[in-house]
Amino acid sequence: MGNFGSSVRWAAVGLSAVFVLTSCSSSGVEFDFTEPLMEAAETIRFRVPDELVEMDQEYAERRLLDSVTISATEAEDPSECAVRYEFGYTDELFERLVEFSEQYYDERPPQDAAYYAFTRVSADGSEMEEDYSSAVVQVKCALSPSDDENTVEVRLVNTFDDGDVSLGASAFVKAEVSVMQSGELFIQNYEVDGWQLDSNGNWVKG
């Protein structure tokens, strides 16, 4: 049986990339992997820009998620922090995700497989809602906006090859995010698999 954790080649996007940030609400922002978010946000919606989706047909055909939205939430331990994930699925492959998850574990909740794929954290319970709509990750609070020692990972994933559902999924883009006790979120770094931005803000193969 394949697993979600297969290694992939990452192309890191530099900190000097062109800035694109649009407001979602008074306390939230949308992040499309073209520039690090240096300011605090209470809610961040992650998505792959349409231009890049159009350029990478393999990802366009196999992506499981259209977006992931995160926000701080109440932690199990009051001295620590927690982040809630809200998953926006693509209709075409959601059933495949559910099928894989149900096959992945024999004695654990099937949602545990999806939880690990989307957060890179081993589930205990599970922390994924039964309908796969959201999940919670416990994490130590950051000490400052630049503290990157304790972070959660946001992953927009795509399936591997067509056919065998047991092949699982890998991340096309991912980001590391820290959270402070106040509920402020800070993106510490991010990566895009196989693509980079040039100095003019155009996506090119990495």
PDB file of all heavy atoms in Angstrom, residues 171-201:
ATOM      1  N   ALA A 171       2.028  16.840  -2.005  1.00  0.00           N
ATOM      2  CA  ALA A 171       1.747  18.276  -1.957  1.00  0.00           C
ATOM      3  C   ALA A 171       2.343  18.981  -3.165  1.00  0.00           C
ATOM      4  O   ALA A 171       3.519  18.844  -3.461  1.00  0.00           O
ATOM      5  CB  ALA A 171       2.293  18.873  -0.675  1.00  0.00           C
ATOM      6  N   PHE A 172       1.529  19.774  -3.849  1.00  0.00           N
ATOM      7  CA  PHE A 172       1.996  20.613  -4.948  1.00  0.00           C
ATOM      8  C   PHE A 172       2.570  21.916  -4.394  1.00  0.00           C
ATOM      9  O   PHE A 172       3.584  22.424  -4.874  1.00  0.00           O
ATOM     10  CB  PHE A 172       0.845  20.903  -5.907  1.00  0.00           C
ATOM     11  CG  PHE A 172       1.225  21.751  -7.092  1.00  0.00           C
ATOM     12  CD1 PHE A 172       2.109  21.276  -8.046  1.00  0.00           C
ATOM     13  CD2 PHE A 172       0.698  23.021  -7.253  1.00  0.00           C
ATOM     14  CE1 PHE A 172       2.466  22.052  -9.141  1.00  0.00           C
ATOM     15  CE2 PHE A 172       1.042  23.806  -8.339  1.00  0.00           C
ATOM     16  CZ  PHE A 172       1.935  23.319  -9.290  1.00  0.00           C
ATOM     17  N   VAL A 173       1.907  22.476  -3.384  1.00  0.00           N
ATOM     18  CA  VAL A 173       2.425  23.639  -2.663  1.00  0.00           C
ATOM     19  C   VAL A 173       2.257  23.385  -1.172  1.00  0.00           C
ATOM     20  O   VAL A 173       1.381  22.634  -0.753  1.00  0.00           O
ATOM     21  CB  VAL A 173       1.699  24.950  -3.049  1.00  0.00           C
ATOM     22  CG1 VAL A 173       1.935  25.296  -4.502  1.00  0.00           C
ATOM     23  CG2 VAL A 173       0.202  24.849  -2.759  1.00  0.00           C
ATOM     24  N   LYS A 174       3.111  24.003  -0.383  1.00  0.00           N
ATOM     25  CA  LYS A 174       2.967  23.899   1.068  1.00  0.00           C
ATOM     26  C   LYS A 174       3.532  25.146   1.720  1.00  0.00           C
ATOM     27  O   LYS A 174       4.357  25.855   1.140  1.00  0.00           O
ATOM     28  CB  LYS A 174       3.665  22.653   1.612  1.00  0.00           C
ATOM     29  CG  LYS A 174       5.164  22.602   1.417  1.00  0.00           C
ATOM     30  CD  LYS A 174       5.719  21.302   1.986  1.00  0.00           C
ATOM     31  CE  LYS A 174       7.230  21.214   1.798  1.00  0.00           C
ATOM     32  NZ  LYS A 174       7.780  19.944   2.347  1.00  0.00           N
ATOM     33  N   ALA A 175       3.068  25.422   2.928  1.00  0.00           N
ATOM     34  CA  ALA A 175       3.509  26.599   3.671  1.00  0.00           C
ATOM     35  C   ALA A 175       3.632  26.242   5.146  1.00  0.00           C
ATOM     36  O   ALA A 175       2.880  25.405   5.657  1.00  0.00           O
ATOM     37  CB  ALA A 175       2.529  27.753   3.496  1.00  0.00           C
ATOM     38  N   GLU A 176       4.598  26.864   5.819  1.00  0.00           N
ATOM     39  CA  GLU A 176       4.778  26.716   7.257  1.00  0.00           C
ATOM     40  C   GLU A 176       4.234  27.971   7.935  1.00  0.00           C
ATOM     41  O   GLU A 176       4.616  29.098   7.580  1.00  0.00           O
ATOM     42  CB  GLU A 176       6.251  26.535   7.593  1.00  0.00           C
ATOM     43  CG  GLU A 176       6.877  25.272   7.010  1.00  0.00           C
ATOM     44  CD  GLU A 176       6.397  24.012   7.687  1.00  0.00           C
ATOM     45  OE1 GLU A 176       5.929  24.102   8.850  1.00  0.00           O
ATOM     46  OE2 GLU A 176       6.484  22.938   7.062  1.00  0.00           O
ATOM     47  N   VAL A 177       3.348  27.780   8.917  1.00  0.00           N
ATOM     48  CA  VAL A 177       2.673  28.912   9.565  1.00  0.00           C
ATOM     49  C   VAL A 177       2.800  28.791  11.079  1.00  0.00           C
ATOM     50  O   VAL A 177       2.560  27.727  11.654  1.00  0.00           O
ATOM     51  CB  VAL A 177       1.176  28.951   9.178  1.00  0.00           C
ATOM     52  CG1 VAL A 177       0.495  30.161   9.808  1.00  0.00           C
ATOM     53  CG2 VAL A 177       1.012  28.965   7.666  1.00  0.00           C
ATOM     54  N   SER A 178       3.162  29.890  11.718  1.00  0.00           N
ATOM     55  CA  SER A 178       3.210  29.928  13.176  1.00  0.00           C
ATOM     56  C   SER A 178       1.999  30.686  13.702  1.00  0.00           C
ATOM     57  O   SER A 178       1.373  31.473  12.983  1.00  0.00           O
ATOM     58  CB  SER A 178       4.499  30.604  13.660  1.00  0.00           C
ATOM     59  OG  SER A 178       4.568  31.940  13.182  1.00  0.00           O
ATOM     60  N   VAL A 179       1.664  30.433  14.957  1.00  0.00           N
ATOM     61  CA  VAL A 179       0.511  31.097  15.571  1.00  0.00           C
ATOM     62  C   VAL A 179       0.902  31.546  16.970  1.00  0.00           C
ATOM     63  O   VAL A 179       1.566  30.830  17.718  1.00  0.00           O
ATOM     64  CB  VAL A 179      -0.722  30.152  15.607  1.00  0.00           C
ATOM     65  CG1 VAL A 179      -0.413  28.857  16.336  1.00  0.00           C
ATOM     66  CG2 VAL A 179      -1.911  30.855  16.262  1.00  0.00           C
ATOM     67  N   MET A 180       0.502  32.757  17.326  1.00  0.00           N
ATOM     68  CA  MET A 180       0.776  33.285  18.656  1.00  0.00           C
ATOM     69  C   MET A 180      -0.434  33.106  19.557  1.00  0.00           C
ATOM     70  O   MET A 180      -1.548  32.872  19.091  1.00  0.00           O
ATOM     71  CB  MET A 180       1.198  34.756  18.555  1.00  0.00           C
ATOM     72  CG  MET A 180       2.473  34.960  17.732  1.00  0.00           C
ATOM     73  SD  MET A 180       3.150  36.641  17.812  1.00  0.00           S
ATOM     74  CE  MET A 180       3.732  36.689  19.525  1.00  0.00           C
ATOM     75  N   GLN A 181      -0.221  33.219  20.844  1.00  0.00           N
ATOM     76  CA  GLN A 181      -1.294  33.040  21.819  1.00  0.00           C
ATOM     77  C   GLN A 181      -2.456  33.988  21.538  1.00  0.00           C
ATOM     78  O   GLN A 181      -3.620  33.679  21.824  1.00  0.00           O
ATOM     79  CB  GLN A 181      -0.754  33.276  23.226  1.00  0.00           C
ATOM     80  CG  GLN A 181      -1.740  33.017  24.344  1.00  0.00           C
ATOM     81  CD  GLN A 181      -2.102  31.544  24.468  1.00  0.00           C
ATOM     82  OE1 GLN A 181      -3.216  31.143  24.124  1.00  0.00           O
ATOM     83  NE2 GLN A 181      -1.169  30.742  24.952  1.00  0.00           N
ATOM     84  N   SER A 182      -2.170  35.130  20.948  1.00  0.00           N
ATOM     85  CA  SER A 182      -3.193  36.126  20.619  1.00  0.00           C
ATOM     86  C   SER A 182      -4.080  35.687  19.453  1.00  0.00           C
ATOM     87  O   SER A 182      -5.098  36.331  19.181  1.00  0.00           O
ATOM     88  CB  SER A 182      -2.530  37.450  20.251  1.00  0.00           C
ATOM     89  OG  SER A 182      -1.694  37.290  19.118  1.00  0.00           O
ATOM     90  N   GLY A 183      -3.690  34.610  18.747  1.00  0.00           N
ATOM     91  CA  GLY A 183      -4.452  34.150  17.591  1.00  0.00           C
ATOM     92  C   GLY A 183      -3.912  34.658  16.269  1.00  0.00           C
ATOM     93  O   GLY A 183      -4.466  34.342  15.206  1.00  0.00           O
ATOM     94  N   GLU A 184      -2.830  35.443  16.297  1.00  0.00           N
ATOM     95  CA  GLU A 184      -2.230  35.953  15.067  1.00  0.00           C
ATOM     96  C   GLU A 184      -1.450  34.855  14.345  1.00  0.00           C
ATOM     97  O   GLU A 184      -0.701  34.104  14.973  1.00  0.00           O
ATOM     98  CB  GLU A 184      -1.298  37.126  15.380  1.00  0.00           C
ATOM     99  CG  GLU A 184      -2.003  38.346  15.950  1.00  0.00           C
ATOM    100  CD  GLU A 184      -1.014  39.404  16.371  1.00  0.00           C
ATOM    101  OE1 GLU A 184      -0.043  39.062  17.080  1.00  0.00           O
ATOM    102  OE2 GLU A 184      -1.212  40.573  15.995  1.00  0.00           O
ATOM    103  N   LEU A 185      -1.627  34.793  13.033  1.00  0.00           N
ATOM    104  CA  LEU A 185      -0.942  33.819  12.198  1.00  0.00           C
ATOM    105  C   LEU A 185       0.148  34.512  11.386  1.00  0.00           C
ATOM    106  O   LEU A 185      -0.047  35.627  10.885  1.00  0.00           O
ATOM    107  CB  LEU A 185      -1.934  33.149  11.244  1.00  0.00           C
ATOM    108  CG  LEU A 185      -3.124  32.428  11.865  1.00  0.00           C
ATOM    109  CD1 LEU A 185      -4.127  32.055  10.782  1.00  0.00           C
ATOM    110  CD2 LEU A 185      -2.670  31.175  12.617  1.00  0.00           C
ATOM    111  N   PHE A 186       1.287  33.808  11.212  1.00  0.00           N
ATOM    112  CA  PHE A 186       2.390  34.343  10.420  1.00  0.00           C
ATOM    113  C   PHE A 186       2.946  33.255   9.506  1.00  0.00           C
ATOM    114  O   PHE A 186       3.307  32.173   9.984  1.00  0.00           O
ATOM    115  CB  PHE A 186       3.516  34.867  11.323  1.00  0.00           C
ATOM    116  CG  PHE A 186       3.129  36.041  12.170  1.00  0.00           C
ATOM    117  CD1 PHE A 186       2.597  35.849  13.436  1.00  0.00           C
ATOM    118  CD2 PHE A 186       3.289  37.340  11.692  1.00  0.00           C
ATOM    119  CE1 PHE A 186       2.230  36.933  14.225  1.00  0.00           C
ATOM    120  CE2 PHE A 186       2.919  38.427  12.474  1.00  0.00           C
ATOM    121  CZ  PHE A 186       2.386  38.223  13.741  1.00  0.00           C
ATOM    122  N   ILE A 187       3.020  33.526   8.202  1.00  0.00           N
ATOM    123  CA  ILE A 187       3.628  32.587   7.269  1.00  0.00           C
ATOM    124  C   ILE A 187       5.148  32.720   7.377  1.00  0.00           C
ATOM    125  O   ILE A 187       5.693  33.802   7.167  1.00  0.00           O
ATOM    126  CB  ILE A 187       3.174  32.866   5.831  1.00  0.00           C
ATOM    127  CG1 ILE A 187       1.661  32.676   5.713  1.00  0.00           C
ATOM    128  CG2 ILE A 187       3.906  31.947   4.843  1.00  0.00           C
ATOM    129  CD1 ILE A 187       1.102  33.051   4.356  1.00  0.00           C
ATOM    130  N   GLN A 188       5.814  31.611   7.693  1.00  0.00           N
ATOM    131  CA  GLN A 188       7.261  31.635   7.867  1.00  0.00           C
ATOM    132  C   GLN A 188       8.007  31.302   6.572  1.00  0.00           C
ATOM    133  O   GLN A 188       9.044  31.872   6.285  1.00  0.00           O
ATOM    134  CB  GLN A 188       7.667  30.659   8.976  1.00  0.00           C
ATOM    135  CG  GLN A 188       7.075  30.994  10.334  1.00  0.00           C
ATOM    136  CD  GLN A 188       7.526  32.341  10.866  1.00  0.00           C
ATOM    137  OE1 GLN A 188       8.612  32.824  10.555  1.00  0.00           O
ATOM    138  NE2 GLN A 188       6.683  32.988  11.669  1.00  0.00           N
ATOM    139  N   ASN A 189       7.506  30.359   5.806  1.00  0.00           N
ATOM    140  CA  ASN A 189       8.100  30.026   4.512  1.00  0.00           C
ATOM    141  C   ASN A 189       7.107  29.206   3.703  1.00  0.00           C
ATOM    142  O   ASN A 189       6.094  28.734   4.235  1.00  0.00           O
ATOM    143  CB  ASN A 189       9.428  29.268   4.676  1.00  0.00           C
ATOM    144  CG  ASN A 189       9.260  27.997   5.474  1.00  0.00           C
ATOM    145  OD1 ASN A 189       8.676  27.022   5.016  1.00  0.00           O
ATOM    146  ND2 ASN A 189       9.775  27.983   6.699  1.00  0.00           N
ATOM    147  N   TYR A 190       7.391  29.029   2.425  1.00  0.00           N
ATOM    148  CA  TYR A 190       6.505  28.256   1.557  1.00  0.00           C
ATOM    149  C   TYR A 190       7.294  27.709   0.378  1.00  0.00           C
ATOM    150  O   TYR A 190       8.392  28.195   0.068  1.00  0.00           O
ATOM    151  CB  TYR A 190       5.341  29.108   1.069  1.00  0.00           C
ATOM    152  CG  TYR A 190       5.739  30.272   0.184  1.00  0.00           C
ATOM    153  CD1 TYR A 190       5.672  30.175  -1.201  1.00  0.00           C
ATOM    154  CD2 TYR A 190       6.189  31.454   0.733  1.00  0.00           C
ATOM    155  CE1 TYR A 190       6.033  31.232  -2.014  1.00  0.00           C
ATOM    156  CE2 TYR A 190       6.552  32.514  -0.058  1.00  0.00           C
ATOM    157  CZ  TYR A 190       6.476  32.401  -1.434  1.00  0.00           C
ATOM    158  OH  TYR A 190       6.851  33.456  -2.236  1.00  0.00           O
ATOM    159  N   GLU A 191       6.732  26.714  -0.289  1.00  0.00           N
ATOM    160  CA  GLU A 191       7.405  26.046  -1.399  1.00  0.00           C
ATOM    161  C   GLU A 191       6.400  25.643  -2.466  1.00  0.00           C
ATOM    162  O   GLU A 191       5.233  25.354  -2.165  1.00  0.00           O
ATOM    163  CB  GLU A 191       8.160  24.806  -0.902  1.00  0.00           C
ATOM    164  CG  GLU A 191       9.268  25.120   0.083  1.00  0.00           C
ATOM    165  CD  GLU A 191       9.911  23.876   0.660  1.00  0.00           C
ATOM    166  OE1 GLU A 191       9.267  22.804   0.610  1.00  0.00           O
ATOM    167  OE2 GLU A 191      11.039  23.967   1.156  1.00  0.00           O
ATOM    168  N   VAL A 192       6.860  25.621  -3.708  1.00  0.00           N
ATOM    169  CA  VAL A 192       6.048  25.192  -4.849  1.00  0.00           C
ATOM    170  C   VAL A 192       6.822  24.101  -5.573  1.00  0.00           C
ATOM    171  O   VAL A 192       8.002  24.284  -5.884  1.00  0.00           O
ATOM    172  CB  VAL A 192       5.752  26.367  -5.807  1.00  0.00           C
ATOM    173  CG1 VAL A 192       4.910  25.891  -6.984  1.00  0.00           C
ATOM    174  CG2 VAL A 192       5.050  27.500  -5.068  1.00  0.00           C
ATOM    175  N   ASP A 193       6.179  22.984  -5.834  1.00  0.00           N
ATOM    176  CA  ASP A 193       6.848  21.840  -6.437  1.00  0.00           C
ATOM    177  C   ASP A 193       7.071  22.049  -7.932  1.00  0.00           C
ATOM    178  O   ASP A 193       6.120  22.047  -8.708  1.00  0.00           O
ATOM    179  CB  ASP A 193       6.008  20.573  -6.210  1.00  0.00           C
ATOM    180  CG  ASP A 193       6.687  19.326  -6.743  1.00  0.00           C
ATOM    181  OD1 ASP A 193       7.913  19.358  -6.959  1.00  0.00           O
ATOM    182  OD2 ASP A 193       5.981  18.313  -6.952  1.00  0.00           O
ATOM    183  N   GLY A 194       8.343  22.245  -8.333  1.00  0.00           N
ATOM    184  CA  GLY A 194       8.682  22.286  -9.744  1.00  0.00           C
ATOM    185  C   GLY A 194       8.537  23.617 -10.442  1.00  0.00           C
ATOM    186  O   GLY A 194       8.785  23.715 -11.641  1.00  0.00           O
ATOM    187  N   TRP A 195       8.120  24.674  -9.715  1.00  0.00           N
ATOM    188  CA  TRP A 195       7.912  25.985 -10.333  1.00  0.00           C
ATOM    189  C   TRP A 195       8.581  27.068  -9.505  1.00  0.00           C
ATOM    190  O   TRP A 195       8.692  26.958  -8.287  1.00  0.00           O
ATOM    191  CB  TRP A 195       6.422  26.293 -10.456  1.00  0.00           C
ATOM    192  CG  TRP A 195       5.696  25.414 -11.413  1.00  0.00           C
ATOM    193  CD1 TRP A 195       5.089  24.213 -11.146  1.00  0.00           C
ATOM    194  CD2 TRP A 195       5.492  25.657 -12.810  1.00  0.00           C
ATOM    195  NE1 TRP A 195       4.525  23.699 -12.274  1.00  0.00           N
ATOM    196  CE2 TRP A 195       4.756  24.552 -13.322  1.00  0.00           C
ATOM    197  CE3 TRP A 195       5.847  26.684 -13.679  1.00  0.00           C
ATOM    198  CZ2 TRP A 195       4.367  24.466 -14.651  1.00  0.00           C
ATOM    199  CZ3 TRP A 195       5.469  26.599 -15.009  1.00  0.00           C
ATOM    200  CH2 TRP A 195       4.738  25.499 -15.482  1.00  0.00           C
ATOM    201  N   GLN A 196       9.003  28.144 -10.199  1.00  0.00           N
ATOM    202  CA  GLN A 196       9.567  29.316  -9.545  1.00  0.00           C
ATOM    203  C   GLN A 196       9.045  30.577 -10.233  1.00  0.00           C
ATOM    204  O   GLN A 196       8.614  30.529 -11.384  1.00  0.00           O
ATOM    205  CB  GLN A 196      11.088  29.308  -9.626  1.00  0.00           C
ATOM    206  CG  GLN A 196      11.756  28.127  -8.969  1.00  0.00           C
ATOM    207  CD  GLN A 196      13.261  28.214  -9.052  1.00  0.00           C
ATOM    208  OE1 GLN A 196      13.869  29.156  -8.541  1.00  0.00           O
ATOM    209  NE2 GLN A 196      13.878  27.246  -9.705  1.00  0.00           N
ATOM    210  N   LEU A 197       9.107  31.693  -9.511  1.00  0.00           N
ATOM    211  CA  LEU A 197       8.774  32.983 -10.085  1.00  0.00           C
ATOM    212  C   LEU A 197      10.052  33.675 -10.553  1.00  0.00           C
ATOM    213  O   LEU A 197      11.053  33.716  -9.827  1.00  0.00           O
ATOM    214  CB  LEU A 197       8.068  33.873  -9.063  1.00  0.00           C
ATOM    215  CG  LEU A 197       6.579  33.610  -8.817  1.00  0.00           C
ATOM    216  CD1 LEU A 197       6.120  34.416  -7.622  1.00  0.00           C
ATOM    217  CD2 LEU A 197       5.757  33.948 -10.045  1.00  0.00           C
ATOM    218  N   ASP A 198      10.037  34.223 -11.784  1.00  0.00           N
ATOM    219  CA  ASP A 198      11.197  34.994 -12.213  1.00  0.00           C
ATOM    220  C   ASP A 198      11.072  36.425 -11.687  1.00  0.00           C
ATOM    221  O   ASP A 198      10.111  36.771 -10.985  1.00  0.00           O
ATOM    222  CB  ASP A 198      11.356  34.946 -13.740  1.00  0.00           C
ATOM    223  CG  ASP A 198      10.225  35.658 -14.499  1.00  0.00           C
ATOM    224  OD1 ASP A 198       9.455  36.418 -13.872  1.00  0.00           O
ATOM    225  OD2 ASP A 198      10.111  35.431 -15.712  1.00  0.00           O
ATOM    226  N   SER A 199      12.053  37.278 -12.021  1.00  0.00           N
ATOM    227  CA  SER A 199      12.078  38.632 -11.483  1.00  0.00           C
ATOM    228  C   SER A 199      10.945  39.502 -11.997  1.00  0.00           C
ATOM    229  O   SER A 199      10.661  40.568 -11.447  1.00  0.00           O
ATOM    230  CB  SER A 199      13.418  39.298 -11.816  1.00  0.00           C
ATOM    231  OG  SER A 199      13.617  39.341 -13.224  1.00  0.00           O
ATOM    232  N   ASN A 200      10.273  39.050 -13.069  1.00  0.00           N
ATOM    233  CA  ASN A 200       9.126  39.789 -13.606  1.00  0.00           C
ATOM    234  C   ASN A 200       7.799  39.272 -13.066  1.00  0.00           C
ATOM    235  O   ASN A 200       6.733  39.739 -13.464  1.00  0.00           O
ATOM    236  CB  ASN A 200       9.119  39.700 -15.137  1.00  0.00           C
ATOM    237  CG  ASN A 200      10.286  40.422 -15.754  1.00  0.00           C
ATOM    238  OD1 ASN A 200      10.658  41.507 -15.304  1.00  0.00           O
ATOM    239  ND2 ASN A 200      10.873  39.822 -16.780  1.00  0.00           N
ATOM    240  N   GLY A 201       7.851  38.301 -12.167  1.00  0.00           N
ATOM    241  CA  GLY A 201       6.635  37.751 -11.601  1.00  0.00           C
ATOM    242  C   GLY A 201       5.965  36.695 -12.441  1.00  0.00           C
ATOM    243  O   GLY A 201       4.785  36.402 -12.244  1.00  0.00           O
TER     244      GLY A 201
END
